[in-house]
Amino acid sequence: MKKVALITLHGMGKYKPNYYADLEQSLKDMLGDDWAKVSFQNVQYAPILQDPQNELWNDMSTEPNNDLDFVKLRKFLLFGFGDAGTIGYSSNRNREKYIKVQQAIEQTLAQAYLDLSKQENKPVIILAHSLGCQVISNYIYDAQKDYNLFETALSGSEDETKFKKLKSCHHLLTTGCNIPLFVAGIEKANRVAFTRPTTDFIWDNFYDADDVLGYPLKQLGDDYNNMVSDHEINAGGFLSSWTPFSHSQYWDDKDLLRPLVKTLKAHMK
């Protein structure tokens, strides 16, 4: 029987459907037979944003008057910050894509709920990377305030709705988190976070000092300072750990995997 759900969210940039594959293998190796107790579910929100980005890039790159240099860097910035910009725009203007992203999370949680034998109090652990940290933060905040996706009743039973609102979420692990990019222009007193979903809720934030897209969070304001534990790690191997490319290396790092395995085992009882 599944004892705990592990939900992952990918970051910004070019979409890779199997973004979780290396993490899954590492966890299987470290947990052994206990892996069978984990409902491993992976949110796929990038396809909602990727097609328009591909169309825009194709229009730009095929225009004969556009002689663009640094193509790889341009595509990284367009696909990466295009994700963030679209979600930000959608949350304040046309909410269609913003809500579709939240629906992708809801659908993933619905599968976890079934996998956990429809027991709404089974623990949920969330691992989010990069833009996924902002995405899941918005989801939890909106669920608690009944905003956006949660303005109307969700499909399913009352117990399933509680589960989808992450009322049994006990641990959030964020890596390469760029929430500060979204709130930098807001006064410190107004940088509010969601409240703890459970009394024993833990938020561990992992960042590499060489990762220009990953930040500590405690300095954002009282809400974050009282809830987040920041951990500086050296993500990546010899060639990447001291460069901005460390942004994509967190989920292979033992300093992340060890506490993740520890919290999974703690909730298997």
Side-chain angles (χ1 to χ4, degrees):
M1 181 182 294
K2 304 294 185 184
K3 299 288 188 179
V4 57
L6 174 59
I7 311 296
T8 70
L9 292 94
H10 60 74
M12 60 176 61
K14 186 69 174 179
Y15 174 54
K16 297 179 180 179
N18 64 337
Y19 69 89
Y20 53 85
D22 290 343
L23 170 71
E24 182 178 20
Q25 188 58 56
S26 295
L27 292 175
K28 284 181 177 179
D29 293 342
M30 296 175 75
L31 284 168
D33 292 342
D34 281 339
W35 177 248
K37 301 176 184 178
V38 180
S39 174
F40 185 56
Q41 307 294 333
N42 307 280
V43 179
Q44 307 272 1
Y45 66 85
I48 299 166
L49 310 170
Q50 190 70 55
D51 287 347
Q53 291 171 357
N54 290 339
E55 181 181 11
L56 176 58
W57 174 255
N58 185 63
D59 289 344
M60 286 184 175
S61 59
T62 56
E63 167 59 46
N65 294 325
N66 289 348
D67 185 15
L68 302 176
D69 294 326
F70 304 106
V71 169
K72 288 186 177 180
L73 178 59
R74 285 180 181 274
K75 290 180 74 174
F76 170 76
L77 294 174
L78 180 65
F79 293 159
F81 289 96
D83 288 348
T86 300
I87 289 174
Y89 173 87
S90 182
S91 66
N92 293 303
R93 301 288 184 88
N94 182 344
R95 295 186 297 167
E96 179 185 3
K97 289 190 180 296
Y98 182 89
I99 291 177
K100 282 185 176 180
V101 169
Q102 293 195 332
Q103 287 173 332
I105 300 173
E106 180 208 0
Q107 290 162 9
T108 304
L109 288 169
Q111 183 57 51
Y113 180 72
L114 293 176
D115 222 17
L116 295 170
S117 303
K118 298 183 178 181
Q119 297 184 45
E120 90 285 352
N121 60 343
K122 285 289 185 72
V124 176
I125 312 300
I126 297 175
L127 173 60
H129 178 61
S130 186
L131 178 62
C133 306
Q134 171 73 4
V135 169
I136 194 61
S137 176
N138 285 343
Y139 182 93
I140 300 174
Y141 185 90
D142 288 357
Q144 293 177 343
K145 301 290 185 180
D146 287 326
Y147 292 157
N148 294 306
L149 176 65
F150 308 95
E151 288 178 349
T152 57
L154 300 180
S155 61
S157 66
E158 182 179 351
D159 286 346
E160 183 176 356
T161 295
K162 289 179 181 178
F163 187 84
K164 289 178 177 179
K165 286 190 170 187
L166 290 173
K167 291 183 179 292
S168 64
C169 180
H170 291 268
H171 200 164
L172 171 62
L173 301 94
T174 51
T175 60
C177 180
N178 39 48
I179 288 177
L181 298 180
F182 292 86
V183 299
I186 300 173
E187 290 77 8
K188 189 172 185 177
N190 294 324
R191 296 177 201 148
V192 296
F194 56 82
T195 58
R196 294 178 187 273
T198 55
T199 55
D200 62 346
F201 175 79
I202 297 172
W203 183 348
D204 285 313
N205 177 56
F206 298 86
Y207 71 98
D208 188 312
D210 298 307
D211 173 15
V212 297
L213 293 175
Y215 292 86
L217 299 179
K218 292 182 74 68
Q219 293 78 19
L220 288 179
D222 290 343
D223 281 4
Y224 294 91
N225 184 50
N226 294 331
M227 187 161 46
V228 180
S229 294
D230 287 320
H231 308 275
E232 183 180 349
I233 65 174
N234 193 30
F238 174 74
L239 296 178
S240 60
S241 63
W242 53 276
T243 74
F245 293 105
S246 60
H247 185 67
S248 62
Q249 304 296 314
Y250 288 94
W251 289 8
D252 297 324
D253 197 281
K254 296 297 183 183
D255 287 332
L256 168 74
L257 290 171
R258 288 192 191 100
L260 176 55
V261 167
K262 182 179 179 180
T263 195
L264 287 171
K265 285 186 174 181
H267 289 93
M268 288 178 181
K269 300 175 182 178

